Amino acid sequence: MKLAIAGTGYVGLVTAVCMAEKGHYVTCVDINREIINTLNQGRSPIFEKDLEALMLKNKDRIVYTTDYKKAYKDAEIIFIGVGTPEKKDGSANLSYVYSVVDQIAETVENNCVVVVKSTVPIGTNDKVEKRLNENKKNNVKIDVVSNPEFLAQGTAVKDTLCASRIVIGSESKHAEERMLKVYENFDAPIVTTNRRSAEMVKYASNDFLALKISYINEIANLCEEVGANIDDVVKGMGYDPRIGDKFLKPGIGYGGSCFPKDTKALHWLSNFHDHELKTVKAAIEVNEQQKLRLIKKSRKYYDSFEGLTVAVLGLTFKPGTDDLREAPSLVNVPIFLEDGAKVKAWDPVGVPNFKKFYPTEIQYCQTIDETITDADICFIFTEWDEIKSYNVEKFEKLMKNSIVLDGRNCLENNNIPIIGIGKNENN
Ligand code: UDX
Ligand code: UDX
């Protein structure tokens, strides 16, 4: 089928490449010329496993352009995958979505289906349809379908090609059939429903996962008080299939482009409907506090970071991505700097993005050894493999004072005290 995809961020680009892999012809549109130039050179603007290889493999079926008119005018299906960032009040900013909607209304010449992949508040698809019908230039029939994505960064290609489920929310049999055709070569359970339910599936799924993380983080914090070990507690809980062992990893809080914004957006929406989701509110509050958990623990050793050398291992919000959105490092590093610390940082892929925030204030290092040498304290924010397999004895050898705070519980028990989350230093 002939597809167009608006937005070549994580969601748009991965969707495009995977659709091409399944045999569709795809035109990707982005307003950012630099991104389109990079894509046209065969390079991916984002760090995502397998993406560049798949771009190359399917290059004859993908076109990248800034010319939306060319892309939309005769597309059978148009996906909207632009960002929906959070506004100051926590609600979702839909201006990018509506800007694409207006471009579609202005240009489509054939009947088509517009698919909203971006995460949007419940009821948005109805508004999109109304706006398209009011503004369309040509006498065409445009159906609107909600088709949320569930891809996680770092495994986005796999999550799309081998999806856990495909959710199709539509108000017409015709549109649903078109979507079933789009996905006919995918091997995944398909849930067909109405648009508002599909929109809700996305928020309810993301917020549930965020809630699970905040819950286990609170239990972890309590473990420290009562002398339990969270890693063993999680192991003991995870064998219960009703609980499961996924998304129960304690740490210094969730980040990324989705959980923080989607919890806030659903909480905002629930308040708007005078039906506050108290559990989601609690998940948000716990997460904000959790990001400062290691600093709180470090106060036992130092009142202030003034004059200290602080080593930071891991800058991205999770391993496998160069994305820094809502990363705990961005909350902690400013505190070190404000106190007057010298900060040395290492991350295998996140440094170029971090440099956009802190071009000169930090010493960026090539190796873990270099980062921790002569440091007074070390913070681990991301569980990169290089950190997990690091010889912990070197902390003692290379640091001035071997105080290591492991925000991801990624270092094994050992002879030197590593301060994790939800564990006493000696268990
Ligand atoms: C996505 C979703 O769409 C969002 O709703 C979901 O909750 C998380 O993931 P993401 O792919 O991470 O967003 O967005 P981002 O990486 O910000 O990329 C968006 C792209 O759209 C950018 O390349 C931007 O240049 C482009 N864009 C934005 C347009 O092409 N047109 C616009 O009007 C605005
Ligand atoms: C998430 C969802 O998993 C995905 O389905 C959705 O489409 C987009 O949002 P992503 O943000 O890429 O994906 O990453 P994810 O692996 O879910 O991790 C999010 C954050 O939670 C990370 O900061 C991670 O470190 C943290 N996390 C995850 C934990 O702290 N503990 C866990 O057990 C799992």
Side-chain angles (χ1 to χ4, degrees):
M1 294 170 91
K2 198 163 187 274
L3 316 182
I5 299 193
T8 54
Y10 281 93
V11 172
L13 183 58
V14 173
T15 303
V17 172
C18 292
M19 287 295 174
E21 170 73 6
K22 294 289 184 183
H24 295 299
Y25 290 86
V26 188
T27 304
C28 292
V29 191
D30 204 291
I31 49 170
N32 186 323
R33 194 168 292 278
E34 212 179 305
I35 291 181
I36 292 298
N37 287 344
T38 305
L39 288 164
N40 276 325
Q41 286 159 16
R43 288 185 293 121
S44 165
I46 51 172
F47 177 85
E48 189 62 48
K49 191 169 174 281
D50 301 333
L51 188 58
E52 221 166 67
L54 224 53
M55 277 171 59
L56 183 69
K57 184 176 165 214
N58 295 291
K59 67 178 180 1
D60 295 339
R61 277 197 291 271
I62 317 180
V63 171
Y64 305 101
T65 180
T66 52
D67 182 355
Y68 65 85
K69 290 186 181 135
K70 199 169 89 189
Y72 302 152
K73 72 176 176 145
D74 58 353
E76 294 172 78
I77 313 277
I78 305 171
F79 286 89
I80 301 179
V82 292
T84 50
E86 119 190 18
K87 289 203 273 194
K88 280 211 164 62
D89 64 359
S91 64
N93 177 353
L94 297 176
S95 60
Y96 303 127
V97 169
Y98 287 131
S99 141
V100 171
V101 165
D102 291 344
Q103 291 168 346
I104 295 172
E106 178 200 323
T107 44
V108 282
E109 292 175 4
N110 296 342
N111 296 346
C112 64
V113 178
V114 169
V115 184
V116 180
K117 254 212 180 297
S118 301
T119 305
V120 292
I122 294 96
T124 304
N125 275 260
D126 294 356
K127 291 182 191 152
V128 166
E129 187 172 73
K130 190 162 172 274
R131 193 158 167 145
L132 282 169
N133 282 325
E134 281 170 3
N135 297 338
K136 64 187 177 192
K137 277 253 170 66
N138 298 309
N139 185 20
V140 290
K141 177 152 175 40
I142 310 174
D143 285 293
V144 174
V145 170
S146 165
N147 174 219
E149 46 74 28
F150 303 98
L151 55 87
Q153 288 173 226
T155 52
V157 169
K158 183 174 124 284
D159 294 344
T160 307
L161 289 176
C162 314
S164 55
R165 74 289 205 193
I166 290 159
V167 175
I168 298 171
S170 68
E171 304 295 324
S172 90
K173 205 73 213 149
H174 166 74
E176 186 180 300
E177 276 161 13
R178 298 296 287 156
M179 290 306 290
L180 291 174
K181 183 134 182 62
V182 169
Y183 283 108
E184 72 182 358
N185 291 333
F186 287 72
D187 182 20
I190 295 187
V191 179
T192 52
T193 179
N194 61 26
R195 285 195 299 233
R196 286 175 182 243
S197 307
E199 290 169 327
M200 183 56 110
V201 169
K202 172 68 187 189
Y203 277 110
S205 301
N206 267 4
D207 288 20
F208 179 72
L209 295 173
L211 226 135
K212 217 175 160 186
I213 297 168
S214 275
Y215 174 75
I216 209 63
N217 281 338
E218 277 209 295
I219 295 289
N221 298 345
L222 185 61
C223 280
E224 290 172 16
E225 301 301 325
V226 299
N229 180 320
I230 190 67
D231 290 345
D232 296 340
V233 171
V234 165
K235 209 192 258 174
M237 290 168 68
Y239 280 112
D240 185 332
R242 293 169 304 175
I243 299 172
D245 60 356
K246 306 281 187 298
F247 279 74
L248 274 188
K249 203 169 178 327
I252 38 158
Y254 58 76
S257 67
C258 290
F259 290 170
K261 120 178 129 50
D262 293 347
T263 42
K264 286 182 207 152
L266 191 62
H267 183 247
W268 185 92
L269 192 78
S270 70
N271 271 329
F272 181 77
H273 288 280
D274 204 13
H275 188 91
E276 187 182 37
L277 292 177
K278 297 195 175 66
T279 47
V280 173
K281 183 183 184 201
I284 297 166
E285 284 170 5
V286 168
N287 197 56
E288 275 162 12
Q289 285 303 310
Q290 197 68 11
K291 285 191 177 169
L292 297 167
R293 186 78 189 163
L294 291 187
I295 293 217
K296 201 167 167 211
K297 281 166 171 263
S298 73
R299 296 297 181 209
K300 184 172 152 195
Y301 305 92
Y302 302 112
D303 295 341
S304 151
F305 299 106
E306 192 181 358
L308 299 181
T309 298
V310 177
V312 172
L313 301 180
L315 297 168
T316 57
F317 81 93
K318 70 171 197 180
T321 176
D322 62 352
D323 200 335
L324 293 173
R325 286 180 278 186
E326 304 282 340
S329 61
L330 285 174
V331 175
N332 285 271
V333 166
I335 297 173
F336 307 146
L337 292 173
E338 266 163 38
D339 262 12
K342 172 182 173 190
V343 178
K344 294 167 82 181
W346 174 87
D347 189 287
V349 296
V351 169
N353 282 338
F354 211 78
K355 273 188 181 163
K356 292 178 192 158
F357 296 96
Y358 298 104
T360 54
E361 300 82 343
I362 289 174
Q363 182 186 333
Y364 296 98
C365 301
Q366 298 295 324
T367 62
I368 298 178
D369 285 2
E370 186 193 343
T371 319
I372 64 169
T373 296
D374 293 331
D376 296 283
I377 189 162
C378 172
F379 287 82
I380 298 173
F381 294 135
T382 322
E383 67 275 34
W384 287 103
D385 283 343
E386 294 89 332
I387 302 174
K388 289 201 280 194
S389 60
Y390 191 67
N391 175 3
V392 287
E393 279 161 24
K394 286 199 190 169
F395 286 113
E396 212 151 41
K397 264 195 220 130
L398 298 176
M399 290 177 72
K400 198 192 288 171
N401 205 352
S402 57
I403 300 170
V404 182
L405 293 123
D406 177 3
R408 298 293 180 185
N409 285 0
C410 65
L411 295 177
E412 293 299 319
N413 277 353
N414 41 69
N415 298 331
I416 78 149
I418 302 238
I419 302 139
I421 302 272
K423 301 189 268 194
N424 289 313
E425 277 144 61
N426 46 6
N427 72 14

